[in-house]
Each structure stands twice: as C-alpha cells, then as structure tokens.
C-alpha cells in the first residue's frame, strides 16, 4: 500500500534501533569511555524533536505504480529544515510483467538511477553475479531503495542525525513491507559512497564489492548488520595523474592520425623522449589503444614502453583494447607478450571487461534502441576468441559466462544459437497445454456460434486467444479456432524435432505437410490454412506462446510454471544467458516482417468482462526529470 499522507514519529529513548547496546563490564577506562559515548548519543537523540517522513508518489507510468519519491525532513529544535534525505523506492515486482528491461525504467527518474541500473543490476533487476560478496542472490527479491541524496546543514553534520534519520526510514519501510507484502519480500538499499557520512556502517551499510556503492539488505540476520565483519575498500573512481608539458606534447604527437606516415612527427617524438618525456606517466600506450592508433602502439612498444603498464585503476592496454572491441589491437598486444590474466583493482581481467561491455550493450539496446538487441557486435566475439586462444585455464581468465556466438548463448546448446534448452522446454510444454485446452473447450460446445460474444470468451476456454486482435475475435469460427489450436500443436512438434518455430519455418512446415500429405501428432495443416485465410497469422500464435510463458516464468512473472517435476527436469539443463529474454526471442521468431504486440484484451475480474487494452509493451510517456535535487 503506497504512502500518500504525511505523518510524524517521535524518537523514543527506548527505541533499540537508535541506541547503543548496553555495555556490561568493569570500571575500566574502556567502560567509562563507552558510558560517556552512550550519554553523548542519548543527548544527540534528544535534540531530534521529530522526523517527518514525507512520501510523495512519483508514479512515472500510470500502471503499474513502480516508483515513489521519498523525502525525509529532519527537524532539530526550532530548526525546521536541519537536513533531508531524498530516496527512490523502486518496486521490481511491478516491472516483471513488462517486456522492457529493468534499465529502461531506471532511465526515467534521472541519470543517477540510470547509472545504478547499468552498474549494479541485470535486465531482470537482479544484482549482477560478478558483484557477489557481501551481498548475493538474496537481494534479488523485494524493493530497491536508492538513497539519492543525504544533506545536512553544516552545524548539524557532526551529530549523526542523518544516520538516525536513515535508520528511521529503513525501519519504517521494513514495517510496511511486513504489513503489506509477503514476509520474505525485503528491500535492498543502495547509495553512492560520496553522498553519505562516514557513519554509514552503523546504519547497516556495507561496501558493494567491486563498486563505489554502499548497500544494505533488510533481510533478518543478514551479514551486513554484523559490525565485526570486515569490509572491502570501496572502489575509488579512476583519477589520472597530472602530466608534464613534455608528456602532453608526446601524447599529442602519437595520437595524431598521420603520425605513422610523418617522419617529422616521429623525429619530434623521439626528441621528446630524449628530453625527458615519460611514456609511462603519460599513459601513452593506453591512450593510443583507446584512440585505435595501431602504428602508434607499435612505435611506443618499440621504444621500450611497458605493454603491461597499469593505470591508477589497474587497467592495461589489453584491458582498453578488449573494452573497445578492437581485435586487431588485441592480436598485436598479445603478439608482444601482453598478459591476459592481469586484473584491475576491481578484480577484472581483459576477458571480464570484454564480456561486461557486451552485456552492457545488450541491455542498453533492449532499453533504448528501437528494434532492441539484434546480436552482439562481431568484433567483440573476435576479441573473445583471441583471448581464449591460450593454454591458461578459463577460471583464471574469467568467472563470467562466456558468449559462444553473436546471439549471446553461453551454454553452447541453443537451437539456432539463441533458443536455450530452458526456453525450449517451457515453450514446448506450453504449446502442448494450449492445444489440449483449446480442443477440450471446443468439445464442450455442442453448437458453435458463428460469432463468439465477449461474454462467451474465457481464458479457461479459448486458450490464449486474447493475443488475437479484437476484429478477429468477433468472427471466431470453429474452423478458425481449430487452426489456432493446430498451430500450437505444430509448434510443439517442431520443437520436439529440434526445429526452431520461426514464422518462416512454420509456414514452410505447413506447405511441406500439405505437399507430402503428412499430418503432425494431432494437428491438421488444412485447419491452419483455414485459420490464415480468415485473417490469422502465425505471429499471433508465437506472440501468445511467448507472452504466456513470460507470465508463468518465475523471474518475469508469477512463477506458476514451476512445480517439483518441472524444476527437477530443468535443473538438469545448462543455464544460459538467453533463458529469460522473451523480447529478444519474439523478435527472432517473428522473422517475416510482422511483429505483434499482444495481448490485445485484458480481463476485468470485478465484472468478469473483457476490455480492450493497449499493449503492455508500450510505456506511457513519463514526465521529464525536474532536477530539483541536483
């Protein structure tokens, strides 16, 4: 239940969340210091007369309500605005039913949320596995609380009031979660290290491994609340050392596009080296790699530059070449004995950097680019192949799943390179169930009406036909419905025979069955032809199959597909990056120039009626970011 009103909570001296634990010991100096510190803390707490939690709902999409802006105002004595905390509460569960990736929505509130979406979460809103450490898969459920800003007036900064307010906010959110949600749906709070006080540990925040972010999980007994647990150092943003005038002049020369063809420039660069210009401090090799200057890289290495030199963040020239997807430079650096296993300060090898960049562009294209992800750039696949051509064990090169082809398959068993074993199993089971349900419904109707009225439509009867346009449903004949069911059975038959049911392949299969006079397990190709003559399309059935599978998926829907038998069978299959990417799969299967956008109808449970609706894949235009907290 979203909060829409203001309320005031008094801080009680008996509140265990805002008090230090009682110290039991002897009358030692440590004991006296502890008592003095506790007395000072109680005095500070008494100064906080009240904390107002002002929650203004910032629904950026009319349905579902997935984002709220929270403002915590701190009042100290007569100071009505001693400080404030600005946060976004993001409901991941409300976004699961939409086909857009998680990053698509986080781009709406502002640049800050866009940054955490790209840096921390995958397209399903889960914490990226390579960031596991203090936090892991337990953070995949529940709401995300992004602490955007913590500001205190200078005279109150030493009183830990922001920490008190932050604890208060998180405690109230925990109570609301337990009151209105499933008890296991905890929140996961994230904030940038630069935007908080040094007292963040006492509020339960820990460094999120390999990042410059802090995080806190409200799960009861989580290790982040253990004050004795060691904390890794937060990642410091890359800061390049200052360069001398000679270093800058050398860098300008080697980065010039005509450097390798100009004897004069090469001579000047040689003189600069003799005059004291330093290739190491100027990061000349890394800069030349980023600019794609292969001849300049060759010349610098010939002059004695270190091919494995690391910058302040630990990146080598090979890291930059892999990051920018330059196979020719990667090959050149490897031929000059560049080391594949060197790690950055965040712990990433060149292969890690390449894979993460590929994943970033996949998520970005799904979220921002019209047409979505259509395969990885081939140059990145060439870089991966070059980095893997070695006797070094894969575990030393990367702990991430390695793409096997341009479609992002990481299991090596995807049909056509993109249909994973898990996805194939789900679609085949659903196609069989859809056929059986459709046939069972038709057998229950003794006299099939020429036109089915809206009150006669039922998901439990005409299975998945809400993915048909409304004009077709008003003229649903029995022959049309039989063709729809036959299509589902044909899809199951094709998947069982290791054939990907693209629109083109399905039409070819129909023609082949008609020519040879063969019939599938239960379907009749003549029924499918009749369905298509009445305006039906193969793409409508594919959209229904994929859309229903998304709704039943445990990650993108309600999890109704999971049961012990299914889970046991799927656990024996290899996991793949393509297991839950339904939007990408729909674009691949609808390869005949028509991309449907169902469901076209939605069911109103209050009056048991069907209503026309826009596609759930269309996000309403959100308001522009006001920037008032920038």
């Amino acid at each position: 239940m979203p909060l829409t009103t203001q309320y005031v909570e008094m801080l009680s001296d008996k509140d265990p969340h805002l008090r230090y634990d009682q110290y039991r010991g002897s009358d030692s100096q440590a004991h006296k210091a502890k008592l003095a510190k506790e007395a000072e803390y109680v005095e500070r707490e008494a100064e906080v007369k009240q904390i107002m939690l002002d929650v203004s709902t910032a629904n950026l999409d009319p349905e579902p309500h997935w984002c709220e802006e929270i403002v915590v105002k701190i009042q100290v004595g007569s100071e009505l605005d001693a400080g404030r905390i600005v946060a976004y509460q993001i409901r991941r569960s409300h976004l699961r039913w939409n086909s857009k990736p998680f990053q698509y929505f986080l781009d709406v509130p502002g640049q800050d949320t866009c940054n955490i979406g790209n840096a921390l979460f995958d397209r399903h809103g889960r914490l990226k596995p390579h960031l596991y450490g203090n936090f892991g898969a337990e953070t995949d459920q529940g709401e995300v609380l992004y602490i955007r800003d913590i500001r205190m007036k200078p005279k109150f900064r030493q009183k830990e009031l922001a920490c008190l307010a932050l604890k208060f906010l998180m405690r109230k959110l925990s109570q609301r979660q337990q009151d209105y949600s499933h008890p296991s749906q905890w929140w996961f709070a994230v904030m940038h290290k630069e935007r908080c006080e040094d007292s963040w540990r006492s509020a339960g925040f820990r460094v999120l491994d390999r990042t410059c972010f802090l995080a806190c999980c409200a799960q009861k007994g989580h290790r982040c609340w253990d004050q004795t647990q060691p904390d890794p150092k937060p990642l410091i943003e890359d800061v390049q050392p200052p360069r001398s005038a000679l270093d800058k002049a050398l860098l300008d020369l080697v980065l010039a596009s005509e450097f390798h063809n100009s004897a004069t420039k090469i001579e000047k660069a040689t003189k600069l080296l003799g005059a004291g210009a330093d290739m190491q401090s100027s990061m000349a090799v890394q800069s030349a790699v980023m600019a794609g200057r292969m001849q300049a890289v060759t010349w610098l290495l010939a002059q004695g530059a270190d091919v494995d030199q690391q910058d302040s963040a630990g990146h080598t020239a090979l890291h930059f070449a892999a990051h920018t997807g330059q196979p020719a430079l990667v090959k050149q650096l490897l031929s000059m004995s560049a080391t594949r296993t060197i790690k950055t300060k965040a712990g990433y090898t060149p292969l890690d950097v390449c894979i993460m960049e590929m994943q970033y562009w996949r998520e970005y294209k799904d979220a921002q680019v019209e047409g979505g992800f259509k395969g990885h750039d081939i140059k990145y696949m060439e870089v991966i192949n070059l980095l893997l051509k070695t006797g070094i064990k894969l575990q030393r090169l990367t702990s991430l799943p390695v793409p096997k082809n341009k479609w992002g398959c990481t299991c090596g068993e995807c049909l056509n390179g993109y249909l994973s074993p898990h996805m194939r199993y789900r679609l085949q089971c659903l196609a069989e169930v859809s056929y059986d349900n459709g046939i069972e419904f038709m057998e229950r109707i003794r006299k099939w009406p020429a036109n089915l009225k809206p009150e006669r439509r039922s998901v439990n009867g005409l299975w998945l036909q809400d993915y048909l346009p409304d004009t077709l449903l008003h003229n649903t004949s029995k022959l049309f419905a039989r063709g729809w069911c036959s299509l589902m059975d044909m899809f199951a038959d094709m998947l069982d025979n290791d054939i990907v049911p693209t629109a083109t392949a399905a039409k070819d299969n129909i023609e082949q069955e008609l020519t040879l006079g063969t019939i599938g397990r239960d379907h009749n190709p003549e029924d499918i032809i009749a369905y298509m003559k009445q305006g039906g399309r193969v793409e409508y059935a594919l959209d229904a199959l994929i859309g229903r599978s998304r709704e039943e998926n445990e990650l993108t829907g309600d999890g109704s597909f999971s049961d012990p038998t299914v889970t046991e069978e799927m656990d024996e299959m290899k996991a793949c990056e393509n297991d839950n990417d339904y939007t990408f799969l729909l674009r691949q299967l609808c390869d005949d120039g028509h991309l449907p956008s169902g469901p076209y109808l939605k069911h109103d449970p209050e009056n048991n009626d069907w209503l026309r609706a826009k596609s759930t894949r269309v996000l309403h235009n959100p308001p522009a970011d006001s920037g008032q907290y920038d």
Side-chain angles (χ1 to χ4, degrees), residues 433-538:
V433 170
S434 300
Y435 173 79
D436 293 339
N437 284 347
I439 295 300
E440 181 182 353
F441 173 74
M442 287 188 292
E443 290 176 350
R444 291 202 305 266
I445 299 179
R446 297 181 180 179
K447 186 177 180 181
W448 186 271
N451 297 314
L452 286 179
K453 301 300 181 183
E455 59 270 14
R456 298 294 300 275
R457 301 178 192 141
S458 171
V459 171
N460 295 324
L462 293 176
W463 187 258
L464 299 182
Q465 291 200 10
D466 49 311
Y467 282 86
L468 286 167
D470 195 47
T471 54
L472 293 180
L473 276 180
H474 278 301
N475 297 284
T476 305
S477 65
K478 188 172 185 179
L479 194 58
F480 182 94
R482 285 176 58 111
W484 174 263
C485 296
S486 290
L487 262 178
M488 295 296 177
D489 185 71
M490 188 183 73
F491 292 155
D493 199 14
M494 294 175 69
L495 289 168
D496 193 40
N497 289 295
D498 298 336
I499 302 174
V500 178
T502 63
T504 304
K507 293 170 185 176
D508 292 342
N509 190 74
I510 295 170
E511 292 182 3
Q512 183 179 2
E513 291 182 350
L514 287 172
T515 303
L516 300 177
T518 59
I519 297 178
R521 290 178 296 187
D522 294 300
H523 66 269
N524 189 334
E526 294 181 355
D527 292 341
I528 301 177
I529 294 296
Y531 156 82
M532 297 175 69
K533 285 182 177 180
Q534 296 182 44
R537 299 186 65 100
V538 173

Side-chain angles (χ1 to χ4, degrees), residues 127-140 187-190 200 204-209 211 213-219 222-225 231-232:
L127 184 66
K128 293 182 177 180
H130 65 268
L131 301 179
Y132 284 4
N134 280 339
F135 304 90
E138 74 279 357
T139 63
D140 292 345
W187 49 258
F188 177 51
V190 179
W200 47 269
F205 281 81
R206 296 290 180 271
V207 173
L208 192 55
D209 291 56
T211 72
F213 291 92
L214 306 175
C216 177
C217 183
Q219 188 176 21
H222 194 275
R223 53 186 172 274
C224 69
W225 297 98
D231 220 7

Side-chain angles (χ1 to χ4, degrees), residues 197-322:
E197 298 178 338
D198 293 334
S199 57
W200 47 269
R201 277 185 64 92
S202 61
F205 281 81
R206 296 290 180 271
V207 173
L208 192 55
D209 291 56
R210 297 182 170 187
T211 72
C212 53
F213 291 92
L214 306 175
C216 177
C217 183
Q219 188 176 21
K220 187 176 181 181
H222 194 275
R223 53 186 172 274
C224 69
W225 297 98
D226 187 356
Q227 294 279 345
T228 63
Q229 289 293 326
D231 220 7
K233 293 182 179 180
L235 186 65
I236 300 175
E237 300 288 351
D238 185 16
V239 179
Q240 295 295 342
R243 299 184 175 108
S244 66
L246 289 174
D247 294 343
K248 291 179 180 179
L250 175 64
L251 199 56
D252 290 340
L253 280 172
V254 299
L255 293 183
S257 58
E258 67 277 5
F259 173 76
H260 62 286
N261 291 326
S262 175
T264 303
K265 290 183 184 275
I266 293 176
E267 184 180 354
K268 286 183 179 180
T270 305
K271 289 181 179 179
L272 285 173
L273 289 176
D278 189 357
M279 293 182 292
Q280 309 299 103
S281 62
S282 64
M283 299 293 168
V285 177
Q286 287 94 327
S287 300
V289 168
M290 287 293 288
R293 302 285 187 259
M294 184 182 299
Q295 291 80 3
V297 172
T298 304
W299 183 83
L300 289 167
L301 294 176
Q303 301 304 310
D306 183 7
V307 70
D308 286 333
Q309 182 197 0
Q310 295 177 276
D311 63 9
S312 58
H315 298 102
T316 66
L318 191 57
H319 281 93
F320 285 114

Side-chain angles (χ1 to χ4, degrees), residues 349-420:
T349 65
L351 185 56
D352 287 330
V353 169
C354 180
I355 295 173
M356 289 190 296
E357 185 68 5
M358 294 170 69
Q359 189 59 42
Y360 165 78
W361 281 110
R362 176 171 186 165
E363 293 166 353
Y364 174 82
K365 289 176 182 177
D366 267 342
Q368 305 292 343
V369 179
E370 185 177 356
F373 173 70
K374 296 181 180 178
H376 291 300
D377 196 322
I378 194 65
K379 64 184 182 181
Y380 283 103
M381 293 306 306
E382 293 177 10
V383 169
I384 286 181
N385 292 332
L386 288 169
L387 293 174
L388 289 176
K389 286 183 179 178
T390 175
I392 303 174
K393 291 183 178 180
L394 182 62
Q395 290 80 357
R396 292 185 59 194
L397 294 174
T398 184
S399 59
L400 304 176
V402 180
K404 303 293 193 299
N405 57 38
K406 65 172 293 186
W407 305 119
C409 168
T410 56
C411 66
E413 298 180 2
C414 288
L415 289 180
N416 285 17
Y418 56 83
L419 183 59
S420 70

